[in-house]
Amino acid sequence: MQTFYWKLQKSSDNQEINTRAARLIKQGEVVAFPTETVYGLGADGLNPTAVAKIFAAKGRPNDNPLILHIARQEDILPLTTGLNANARKLMEKFWPGPLTLIVEKAAVVPDAVSAGLPTVAVRFPSNKLAQDFIKACGCPIAAPSANISGRPSPTNAQDVLEDMQGKVAAVLDGGSCGIGLESTVVDTTSPVPTICRPGGVTYEMLTEALGAVEIDPALQGDKNFKPKAPGMKYRHYAPKEPVYLLEGEAVGLLPQLTARALAAGLKVGVLCGAELAQKIPAHDKLLLSSWGDSLERLAGDLFYLLRDFDRTRPDVILAAGVSEEGLGLAIMNRLRKAAGYQIVTLENGALHLKNDKHLPEFMIQ
Ligand code: TXA
Ligand code: MG
């Protein structure tokens, strides 16, 4: 299939491009578009045949439901049988923005979107380019992140093309996404609202708005819990090479562990903040990705940096964990998944790998 590439202008309403894109959507085709979180792979959310094409393009398992994107608050009303007080509060406070609400589903929402669940996920993005595109389409836009299933989500149009060229009808290029991590997903139908996926709207912001908020216990990687968001059970964001995530006191050992891996002859990818990066001397087999000093910068760059490792192909990747406050919770969730829960900690002076796996050779003294 030929994939059209259309560049959007931030300063205009892009009417001509949006008319063409909307025509494709009405014909049941798939169009990738920018949002403030990551790029989405959009199709007419009320057309099961169009929705099926999203699953095919991504290679996405059918049991993983999609988010319906809208461009006006009131457009959620036909999609749900009712909104409770918590849902209304969250809409008022955080929409438009990087927050997805799980609500009871109305009959008009195809099972292909909700993967057979009685609920549906709805989001009103704040990105003006996304809003104009959705408005032009005149229907809710079902959209997952625009990556091949399992890869890091794309945060620029080139990364979308890398995964989707030839598989979708068009890609709308709106430049880089600001936040860089997918939206926070909150189930508003449970007695206590529950974070199914952490994101740009943080736990702290949600508790301030609602009082009690739970975090899905499955997010800690404990195999005894089944995640509330089906998508959270899949291996995700993982570069092709093994990733080890250092947490707690082990983070300070990053320069040493990097040196040992290099001494063992490995090509080493390192992902850490500026302060640690300064302690790691240059080496021709070292690929150092430093994310500066703010969590916002790390969130914004994380998926790009993980994708970059798929291009530079180190033998092993060492990543430094961050504190789980604020945006840190979402970042650590993505890093843990990228690492396949290969988490390295320091206990009583000795390195440990979580989940009872064996430490790699170079970490054993
Ligand atoms: O920021 C975002 O949310 C991006 C942009 C494009 O809007 N979209 C996105 O979609 O990340 P996706 O499909 O990659 O992730 C949607 C997540 C999945 O983990 C899915 O399982 C969960 O939301 N989800 C969708 N509907 C659900 C439902 N009814 N109940 C529980 N989880 C649901
Ligand atoms: Mg995704």
Side-chain angles (χ1 to χ4, degrees):
M1 162 188 291
Q2 187 198 349
T3 300
F4 293 109
Y5 166 85
W6 293 322
K7 183 133 185 71
L8 299 171
Q9 301 302 325
K10 292 217 161 105
S11 52
S12 87
D13 63 2
N14 299 291
Q15 205 180 2
E16 205 185 310
I17 293 176
N18 280 329
T19 303
R20 274 186 267 162
R23 198 177 304 136
L24 290 172
I25 292 288
K26 282 292 152 206
Q27 289 165 354
E29 297 299 335
V30 176
V31 175
F33 65 102
T35 81
E36 71 278 19
T37 57
V38 300
Y39 273 74
L41 213 51
D44 179 347
L46 301 181
N47 175 351
T49 317
V51 168
K53 290 186 188 168
I54 296 179
F55 284 88
K58 273 182 75 86
R60 179 172 174 115
N62 286 330
D63 69 348
N64 193 1
L66 303 177
I67 298 172
L68 289 180
H69 295 67
I70 56 175
R72 270 177 299 257
Q73 299 267 16
E74 63 267 29
D75 288 350
I76 190 175
L77 298 176
L79 305 176
T80 179
T81 53
L83 298 168
N84 59 28
N86 285 330
R88 287 182 188 278
K89 241 187 246 172
L90 293 177
M91 285 168 59
E92 208 172 285
K93 191 123 202 218
F94 300 109
W95 274 10
L99 176 67
T100 295
L101 300 181
I102 309 281
V103 296
E104 307 287 353
K105 161 185 120 73
V108 69
V109 177
D111 281 339
V113 168
S114 62
L117 294 173
T119 54
V120 62
V122 185
R123 173 159 121 76
F124 177 1
S126 61
N127 181 315
K128 171 85 167 44
L129 301 174
Q131 291 178 358
D132 289 346
F133 162 67
I134 297 165
K135 278 187 193 151
C137 294
C139 59
I141 296 293
S145 49
N147 50 285
I148 291 172
S149 238
R151 295 206 71 203
S153 303
T155 49
N156 62 68
Q158 287 319 307
D159 287 351
V160 175
L161 285 168
E162 187 178 280
D163 284 13
M164 292 299 153
Q165 180 96 57
K167 295 185 189 167
V168 301
V171 173
L172 306 185
D173 184 349
S176 318
C177 302
I179 297 174
L181 299 178
E182 306 89 343
S183 62
T184 308
V185 178
V186 174
D187 185 355
T188 67
T189 68
S190 48
V192 180
T194 305
I195 299 177
C196 306
R197 180 176 71 184
V201 173
T202 64
Y203 170 77
E204 291 83 349
M205 291 156 78
L206 291 166
T207 45
E208 197 190 315
L210 296 181
V213 173
E214 276 173 10
I215 300 177
D216 185 354
L219 297 184
Q220 293 302 329
D222 188 331
K223 299 247 156 43
N224 297 316
F225 292 99
K226 184 172 168 259
K228 290 188 91 172
M232 298 304 275
K233 71 174 175 275
Y234 296 106
R235 187 177 146 86
H236 209 330
Y237 315 118
K240 293 171 183 124
E241 306 72 25
V243 180
Y244 294 95
L245 175 62
L246 311 184
E247 291 194 17
E249 285 177 49
V251 173
L253 296 179
L254 182 71
Q256 251 166 285
L257 291 174
T258 305
R260 281 201 233 158
L262 289 167
L266 298 172
K267 184 170 167 188
V268 187
V270 173
L271 186 57
C272 67
E275 217 180 296
L276 272 170
Q278 278 168 11
K279 297 182 182 155
I280 302 176
H283 188 288
D284 59 356
K285 284 193 152 188
L286 173 68
L287 300 159
L288 185 57
S289 286
S290 157
W291 39 264
D293 44 19
S294 78
L295 289 184
E296 282 73 22
R297 269 281 312 282
L298 173 54
D301 291 349
L302 182 60
F303 289 150
Y304 175 80
L305 295 174
L306 288 174
R307 277 182 172 261
D308 210 34
F309 285 135
D310 276 343
R311 294 182 268 261
T312 54
R313 306 304 303 265
D315 300 312
V316 64
I317 297 163
L318 301 175
V322 296
S323 137
E324 284 181 280
E325 277 158 46
L327 207 46
L329 184 69
I331 292 170
M332 285 304 279
N333 167 259
R334 307 310 192 272
L335 277 174
R336 285 178 182 146
K337 294 187 83 173
Y341 295 95
Q342 298 200 108
I343 297 166
V344 179
T345 57
L346 193 62
E347 281 156 44
N348 303 322
L351 289 176
H352 277 272
L353 196 53
K354 226 178 165 179
N355 292 350
D356 299 325
K357 289 184 204 150
H358 293 293
L359 284 167
E361 237 0 67
F362 72 87
M363 286 196 199
I364 303 165
Q365 270 293 34

